[in-house]
Amino acid sequence: MEDFKRIVLLSGHYGSGKTNIAVNLAMKLREEHERVAIADVDIVNPYFRTSDSRGELEHAGVRVICSAYAGSNVDVPALPQDVYAITDDRSLRAVIDVGGDDRGALALGRWRDAIVDEDDYEMLLVVNRFRPLTRDVPSTLEVMREIEFAANMRFTAIVNNSNLGVETTPEDVLHSMDYARALCEATGLPLRFTSAEERLIPALEGRIENLFPLKLQPKIQ
Amino acid sequence: MKGNEAIAEAAIQAGCRHYFGYPITPQTEVAAYMAKRMPKIGGCFLQAESEIAAINMVYGVASAGKRVMTSSSSPGISLKGEGISYMAGANLPALVVNVQRGGPGLGGIQPSQSDYNQATRGGAHGDFHLLVLAPASVQEMADLTMLGFDLADKYRMTAMILADGTMGQMMEPVEIHPREIPECDKSWALTGTKMQRERNIINSLSMDPYDLERMNLERYERYAAVERDEVRYESYRMDDAEICVVAFGIAARVAKNAINEARKQGVKVGLIRPITLWPFPKAPLKAAAETCKSFITVELNMGQMVDDVRLATECKRPIITCNRTGGVIPSAAEVYNAIMNAQKGGQAE
């Protein structure tokens, strides 16, 4: 898989798996880079946050940047001040986990100019074709354009994270490839990678290019 | 699909084209989904200025004989209480969704079942009931939403989905099958006389006490039919059970795990899971009181459904309660310990 830019932004429809991919991507980047941070700038969802995996991340040496309120049950949209460390310190590798949909992407506005001016970033659209509001290419395009408009930034690639949770079969992932390719064609964007739970990887290896295994799974508290 | 999305999509599949709501965690995805979908299918989504406004918009659409829904979470449901009572008085079918959070007051945003008493006792002033359905999976969020619309129309009463934050937020695969909407006489609806019939009146006000009593008696005849024909529950490993666990919603899922562990230890334990909380499954519990030596209730509240279990079992057997509150979910280990306590002949705490 091609090397990642200094900043990787993950955005998409809520529930598409952004946070799960962000956490796994940060862990992978840490294997290759000394200084890696993950920032949770979700202002939409009070549940299922990066901080749920804080223990694993910090143990691996990944700096976790998230609002003091994230996962605290205090249901207020708050942004962490330390996100500026990512745009200020260019020796840092960073994954930014953006909140769902256009409302979540709105928060990016705060750092947008710094990220675009430096021009060492990629912005990935995470999609799951089994989510009801991104069930086909037209509905996914709609969500994508709303996010781009709110963020005032363009996506650079697609991440296919199509899954049915614990019931996902290798065939489900394989069948989702037509959707992912059609989406790439409609947008002119490359398919950055296809992510799948680690248990599915042996059955998929050799059949899908650029597979990304998800070792850490969301925690159910 | 998320549980909240399953409710919204199922409502649309059930012919609901009108949704009025006001955001509150943990049910906001219902409104968000409706906001996206309704304009595309010629439906109406409206974010009202308050929960009170939303329920009165529901009153309006229900009066016109159309399928209509609102959703909220615990504090918001209390605000809707007045409207819900008015709809009972006016015999209006609609679906109200309560994705419960911890209370009382503003409480918290974690899951709870602490609105059980409110829901099963009507939820507001006056002599009335809601038809209360308690899903225990995302699939049931969809299935019971569809059923709720059908039953509301059939009995001309308001139905409620009593879910909790877990059910609303969790994701599971769901199959929603397009279906025929049962035919239902709505000749009472306000659709305009077109000078062809007498006008219909939808009202909950009656100044004549005898008239009001007659209306209440007629309503309770319908409630009797609901209690006779619409009780739904799941019986799990009850065939030879000596201990009966009673739990609904997320608590029933936890209880099943504990029951399966206890079964491995040779404990004869089963589960009765009420799916309709009103009407409450009294008959199977009464029957279980004949064969089981003790009962365990598992609830995400201080013990509310346990009173209905006591009534159904006529206090014949001891009941051990296993409750967590404030947004805490009882663990399978806690339920397992309660089962082992019952097995040893432990008494209610």
Side-chain angles (χ1 to χ4, degrees):
Chain A
M1 206 183 300
E2 200 181 308
D3 282 347
F4 286 92
K5 303 272 194 183
R6 188 177 81 77
I7 297 175
V8 183
L9 297 148
L10 292 162
S11 183
H13 181 42
Y14 78 85
S16 58
K18 297 177 296 299
T19 298
N20 194 26
I21 290 171
V23 167
N24 281 280
L25 191 56
M27 296 288 273
K28 179 187 150 56
L29 289 173
R30 181 63 187 85
E31 290 169 13
E32 297 151 17
H33 302 279
E34 191 56 36
R35 299 184 65 236
V36 175
I38 183 169
D40 174 350
V41 298
D42 191 342
I43 54 166
V44 178
N45 189 345
Y47 311 104
F48 315 114
R49 299 291 288 259
T50 305
S51 53
D52 294 342
S53 302
R54 184 186 283 274
E56 289 94 334
L57 287 162
E58 288 184 344
H59 186 257
V62 175
R63 178 174 172 189
V64 179
I65 300 172
C66 63
S67 158
Y69 296 113
S72 71
N73 296 334
V74 179
D75 192 5
V76 294
L79 289 167
Q81 66 208 18
D82 299 13
V83 179
Y84 291 105
I86 292 173
T87 48
D88 290 349
D89 179 357
R90 293 187 176 184
S91 67
L92 201 58
R93 293 273 167 167
V95 176
I96 301 183
D97 178 15
V98 184
D101 295 338
D102 48 345
R103 289 161 196 85
L106 201 61
L108 274 182
R110 198 70 196 82
W111 306 283
R112 184 252 175 212
D113 286 355
I115 293 170
V116 171
D117 288 348
E118 183 198 356
D119 197 21
D120 192 5
Y121 75 96
E122 49 192 298
M123 180 156 148
L124 307 180
L125 174 69
V126 180
V127 294
N128 177 358
R129 68 150 298 202
F130 297 107
R131 298 281 297 132
L133 291 181
T134 55
R135 67 185 91 192
D136 51 26
V137 172
S139 59
T140 311
L141 284 175
E142 193 182 320
V143 171
M144 171 181 158
R145 287 181 186 131
E146 286 169 358
I147 292 171
E148 290 188 330
F149 184 72
N152 195 15
M153 293 175 80
R154 295 271 183 200
F155 285 104
T156 61
I158 309 281
V159 169
N160 178 23
N161 185 46
S162 295
N163 73 87
L164 282 165
V166 293
E167 293 184 29
T168 316
T169 65
E171 285 66 38
D172 292 329
V173 182
L174 288 168
H175 287 155
S176 74
M177 293 308 290
D178 284 345
Y179 156 85
R181 288 188 195 107
L183 188 62
C184 290
E185 197 169 318
T187 57
L189 296 177
L191 183 60
R192 193 66 168 90
F193 58 82
T194 294
S195 44
E197 259 183 83
E198 199 171 28
R199 66 179 171 87
L200 299 167
I201 296 298
L204 295 172
E205 225 146 23
R207 302 166 81 181
I208 295 176
E209 275 184 29
N210 292 334
L211 264 179
F212 184 73
L214 299 172
K215 295 178 183 173
L216 288 177
Q217 284 303 308
K219 290 190 184 58
I220 296 167
Q221 291 177 333
Chain B
M1 236 187 211
K2 247 185 175 182
N4 286 335
E5 294 167 340
I7 283 178
E9 181 59 34
I12 289 167
Q13 296 292 336
C16 172
R17 291 295 178 272
H18 297 84
Y19 172 90
F20 309 106
Y22 188 83
I24 180 171
T25 307
Q27 66 78 48
T28 301
E29 292 86 358
V30 181
Y33 195 92
M34 289 301 198
K36 285 258 183 200
R37 289 274 287 144
M38 279 298 193
K40 288 182 183 154
I41 54 170
C44 173
F45 164 85
L46 201 149
Q47 180 175 320
E49 68 267 34
S50 72
E51 286 87 348
I52 298 168
I55 193 70
N56 284 295
M57 291 172 189
V58 171
Y59 184 112
V61 171
S63 300
K66 297 294 181 190
R67 289 194 161 184
V68 56
M69 181 170 103
T70 186
S71 61
S72 193
S73 180
S74 308
I77 294 294
S78 291
L79 283 168
K80 291 181 195 290
E82 181 192 53
I84 290 171
S85 175
Y86 278 45
M87 286 168 62
N91 300 315
L92 290 173
L95 190 70
V96 175
V97 176
N98 181 1
V99 183
Q100 297 166 92
R101 55 192 255 175
L106 261 183
I109 61 166
Q110 292 296 336
S112 168
Q113 298 180 327
S114 53
D115 306 343
Y116 177 92
N117 280 345
Q118 183 193 46
T120 57
R121 271 67 181 164
H125 68 278
D127 261 338
F128 76 98
H129 281 291
L130 301 172
L131 208 154
V132 186
L133 301 160
S137 66
V138 178
Q139 183 67 52
E140 274 192 354
M141 291 284 257
D143 296 345
L144 296 182
T145 294
M146 290 176 151
L147 178 68
F149 276 109
D150 291 352
L151 296 180
D153 276 352
K154 185 176 177 185
Y155 295 100
R156 234 185 124 177
M157 64 188 289
T158 298
M160 174 177 275
I161 301 291
L162 192 72
D164 62 72
T166 329
M167 286 295 134
Q169 292 298 321
M170 69 191 287
M171 278 198 201
E172 284 176 337
V174 181
E175 285 183 28
I176 299 179
H177 301 289
R179 61 208 282 279
E180 295 267 318
I181 296 163
E183 293 231 353
C184 182
D185 172 32
K186 287 194 175 176
S187 56
W188 48 263
L190 307 184
T191 54
T193 65
K194 301 176 186 71
M195 307 291 277
Q196 298 295 309
R197 60 162 169 81
E198 286 296 303
R199 65 193 180 123
N200 287 336
I201 296 170
I202 302 282
N203 190 11
S204 70
L205 176 69
S206 177
M207 300 308 283
D208 174 3
Y210 297 102
D211 194 38
L212 189 54
E213 184 182 51
R214 184 190 55 73
M215 282 158 56
N216 282 336
L217 290 172
E218 184 280 324
R219 188 169 305 120
Y220 270 74
E221 279 173 27
R222 271 182 286 135
Y223 290 165
V226 173
E227 289 203 89
R228 186 185 64 232
D229 298 334
E230 304 298 348
V231 171
R232 285 169 172 79
Y233 64 96
E234 180 194 1
S235 186
Y236 180 75
R237 304 188 85 161
M238 280 298 293
D239 285 349
D240 60 345
E242 293 168 357
I243 300 166
C244 175
V245 180
V246 190
F248 64 95
I250 184 67
R253 288 172 74 124
V254 176
K256 273 189 185 176
N257 288 335
I259 287 165
N260 291 336
E261 280 307 306
R263 280 272 175 182
K264 285 181 197 161
Q265 305 301 316
V267 181
K268 290 180 176 171
V269 54
L271 171 77
I272 291 180
R273 173 172 74 91
I275 296 171
T276 50
L277 301 182
W278 195 91
F280 195 71
K282 293 174 192 166
L285 285 165
K286 190 177 178 186
E290 300 301 322
T291 54
C292 294
K293 62 181 182 187
S294 61
F295 285 75
I296 297 166
T297 55
V298 187
E299 299 182 72
L300 275 69
N301 58 46
M302 290 301 292
Q304 298 189 15
M305 178 196 64
V306 63
D307 287 338
D308 281 334
V309 177
R310 285 191 187 108
L311 287 170
T313 58
E314 294 164 357
C315 297
K316 280 181 181 162
R317 305 287 175 199
I319 301 176
I320 293 173
T321 57
C322 185
N323 306 320
R324 295 302 298 264
T325 176
V328 184
I329 304 174
S331 69
E334 285 168 326
V335 182
Y336 178 85
N337 289 340
I339 293 169
M340 290 307 172
N341 185 14
Q343 173 73 354
K344 283 183 234 142
Q347 291 297 307
E349 287 156 41

